[in-house]
Amino acid sequence: MNFFQKDIETMPRKDLEALQLERLKNIVAYCYNNTKFYHDKLDKAGVGDGSRIKQLSDIEYIPFTEKSEFRDNYPFGMVAVPHKDIVRVHASSGTTGKPTVGVYTKQDIDIWSDCVARVCAAGGVTEEDIIQISFGYGLFTGALGLHYGLEKLGAMVIPMSSGNTEKQLMMMRDLGVTGLVATPSYALYLSEAVKEGEYPLDAYKLKLGILGSEPCTPEMRETIEKNLGIYVSDNYGMTELGGPGVSGDCFERDGMHFAEDHFLPEIVNPDTGKRLESGETGELIVTTLTKQGMPVLRYRTRDITTLDYEPCKCGRTHVRMSKTKGRTDDMLIIKGVNVFPTQIESVLINIDKIGPHYQLVVRREGNFKDTLEIKVELLDASVLENYGELEKLIRLIQERIKSVLGLQAKITLVPPKTLERFQGKAKRILDLRNEK
């Protein structure tokens, strides 16, 4: 088993929880004393400087932090340090308004790279590896976050960025790249390019994929692994929490290990906010325990998952989060049924004759009836010319979707390579319900 900080990663739970409690008290007081945003929020909730927090469960007295509050306080309203202490700024894409800004002190960068190094080591990376980063560089946390962590681990890093597929593959071959960092959707795209390219798979030395930035279903992971002949690990993070490195797979792939000495996770009922027990499915809430630049208390991630506190077979004791089932803000409600894109992806990727690329189109008929259309690519365009085979395939997909979701969806089969490919996060949903 690979470890980066074994003493911390295998710390007994009793010791880990004692450390968390100490750091929770400190971070609440720090937020209260250094940001007007949290000073006012904590006072209003009757928490004050956190002196009433005597045990970890007392975290429930602290109010949630919402994504909208980052935008309301854009750009620096939640910063807890003077500008002279800020050494880095990152931000989300901001496709639906102002971006979410994250700021970092030197200590934040150092801790961040430690957390990412842990994730990469758990996923099998060593100082012998040559890793190509195919995330887009810039304000996005993924590229530089993985870059610093991999360098700290001692790996050779190629800051390729995204796009220019032919050059991506050329660099992999010429430099003997052993590991790929990318979104699952872009890794899938690259794997298709390898299959269809002029060079055989043995022209590549790839063995590892460190994928993140969007959910990766087991079925998509299996397809990528088969196409590229690699082992894929997943990791989790977001701009509001500092970027990647919050949690990640080990070789057991039985849940992503949280860096619990730096992040305190909870699961709550997304409707009531009530805390749930270990193993129950709900919304992930995270408190940063050591961030200086922009600490966050009880952030509502909107991701749906579970937490498992049993020690892992790998020896790590930090809690494991399951792959996210979806996001509460990505969840579609169609005819009263909760629908997550990952559920549909898991169905489609196991059906022959269709590819892994799809689009969900949601429309509203009249004033209240919502409909779901699933556009799916065929692997062979000739199927479109065979009406009987086409209808049979459509019925099969409809039946599989209905068995999983419990609703009828319109299935549209389209020619190969006609749906958009994504170099960053995949955008699978086209919601037309508010269009006239």
Side-chain angles (χ1 to χ4, degrees):
M1 296 290 181
N2 286 353
F3 288 91
F4 177 65
Q5 295 170 324
K6 187 173 183 179
D7 289 347
I8 298 172
E9 295 175 73
T10 61
M11 183 181 291
R13 170 121 318 253
K14 182 179 177 181
D15 296 341
L16 183 55
E17 289 182 351
L19 176 62
Q20 288 178 319
L21 180 57
E22 177 187 355
R23 288 183 171 179
L24 177 61
K25 292 176 179 178
N26 290 340
I27 201 65
V28 173
Y30 179 80
C31 288
Y32 184 80
N33 293 322
N34 289 282
T35 68
K36 184 179 186 304
F37 168 76
Y38 275 122
H39 187 284
D40 294 348
K41 195 177 183 73
L42 292 168
D43 264 349
K44 185 177 180 180
V47 177
D49 64 359
S51 56
R52 70 180 295 189
I53 294 177
K54 307 297 183 183
Q55 53 193 2
L56 284 176
S57 60
D58 290 340
I59 195 172
E60 65 185 354
Y61 299 129
I62 300 171
F64 296 124
T65 301
E66 305 276 354
K67 186 178 185 71
S68 60
E69 292 174 308
F70 278 84
R71 289 179 175 145
D72 292 344
N73 289 276
Y74 172 87
F76 297 126
M78 295 172 68
V79 173
V81 295
H83 279 210
K84 67 180 180 63
D85 292 334
I86 298 172
V87 299
R88 177 91 64 79
V89 174
H90 281 283
S92 67
S93 59
T95 55
T96 56
K98 293 289 188 181
T100 299
V101 170
V103 305
Y104 304 77
T105 64
K106 288 181 180 179
Q107 178 178 296
D108 290 337
I109 295 290
D110 191 49
I111 289 174
W112 185 19
S113 58
D114 278 351
C115 290
V116 173
R118 284 187 208 173
V119 165
C120 293
V125 180
T126 73
E127 61 184 10
E128 302 294 329
D129 281 299
I130 303 171
I131 310 295
Q132 186 161 311
I133 298 180
S134 296
F135 280 146
Y137 277 72
L139 290 173
F140 170 54
T141 58
L144 283 173
L146 269 295
H147 187 125
Y148 272 58
L150 286 161
E151 284 188 342
K152 180 167 279 193
L153 194 56
M156 183 192 302
V157 178
I158 302 170
M160 187 69 196
S161 197
S162 58
N164 198 340
T165 301
E166 288 303 315
K167 191 172 183 180
Q168 295 269 359
L169 300 182
M170 180 188 74
M171 295 295 276
M172 286 181 187
R173 295 189 302 269
D174 293 351
L175 300 182
V177 171
T178 59
L180 170 67
V181 170
T183 62
S185 51
Y186 191 50
L188 182 64
Y189 179 56
L190 287 173
S191 77
E192 290 177 336
V194 169
K195 281 184 67 177
E196 297 167 4
E198 61 180 301
Y199 294 90
L201 186 57
D202 61 13
Y204 300 84
K205 295 183 179 180
L206 286 169
K207 61 179 184 178
L208 295 167
I210 307 293
L211 307 185
S213 185
E214 66 184 15
C216 181
T217 62
E219 293 81 7
M220 179 182 279
R221 180 181 69 197
E222 186 178 337
T223 299
I224 294 169
E225 288 184 329
K226 181 179 179 181
N227 287 355
L228 290 178
I230 62 175
Y231 168 88
V232 166
S233 65
D234 201 358
N235 66 89
Y236 177 84
M238 54 179 55
T239 302
E240 294 86 347
L241 303 178
V246 176
S247 67
D249 279 329
C250 68
F251 259 74
E252 296 294 332
R253 287 202 301 211
D254 189 22
M256 292 180 281
H257 291 275
F258 243 84
E260 279 196 275
D261 50 327
H262 298 298
F263 302 95
L264 181 57
E266 310 166 71
I267 297 292
V268 305
N269 182 309
D271 297 320
T272 66
K274 181 181 177 181
R275 297 181 75 214
L276 301 177
E277 297 298 320
S278 173
E280 291 190 275
T281 299
E283 180 183 346
L284 177 67
I285 308 296
V286 182
T287 296
T288 63
L289 296 175
T290 55
K291 275 183 66 65
Q292 290 182 327
M294 189 179 281
V296 184
L297 303 179
R298 300 197 81 196
Y299 180 65
R300 299 196 67 159
T301 68
R302 302 295 177 183
D303 287 316
I304 303 298
T305 185
T306 60
L307 295 176
D308 185 347
Y309 287 86
E310 288 298 315
C312 182
K313 292 178 183 177
C314 73
R316 291 175 177 82
T317 54
H318 292 214
V319 67
R320 289 166 286 144
M321 65 175 281
S322 62
K323 281 184 174 293
T324 56
K325 180 178 179 181
R327 292 179 55 81
T328 58
D329 49 5
D330 276 349
M331 183 180 74
L332 299 169
I333 301 179
I334 310 293
K335 300 176 183 177
V337 177
N338 295 343
V339 178
F340 292 101
T342 50
Q343 292 174 294
I344 294 173
E345 180 178 296
S346 294
V347 173
L348 298 177
I349 210 160
N350 283 315
I351 297 177
D352 293 335
K353 299 182 181 179
I354 61 173
H357 302 282
Y358 65 95
Q359 183 181 53
L360 311 181
V361 183
V362 187
R363 298 181 176 87
R364 178 158 294 160
E365 295 180 359
N367 294 321
F368 59 89
K369 184 181 179 182
D370 292 340
T371 63
L372 173 64
E373 178 187 9
I374 306 174
K375 293 184 177 181
V376 188
E377 274 189 2
L378 289 163
L379 293 175
D380 183 355
S382 66
V383 175
L384 293 170
E385 300 171 7
N386 187 326
Y387 181 79
E389 187 176 357
L390 190 66
E391 286 297 299
K392 183 179 178 181
L393 183 55
I394 288 174
R395 283 197 303 272
L396 173 63
I397 298 171
Q398 285 178 326
E399 290 169 2
R400 296 273 183 92
I401 292 292
K402 189 172 183 178
S403 70
V404 171
L405 301 180
L407 61 80
Q408 193 77 14
K410 177 184 177 182
I411 306 299
T412 302
L413 299 177
V414 300
K417 300 187 182 303
T418 54
L419 293 180
E420 184 180 358
R421 276 21 178 194
F422 300 94
Q423 295 174 8
K425 292 184 180 182
K427 299 176 180 65
R428 305 289 191 192
I429 302 171
L430 180 60
D431 194 336
L432 304 177
R433 284 178 289 189
N434 293 321
E435 294 193 5
K436 299 297 183 181

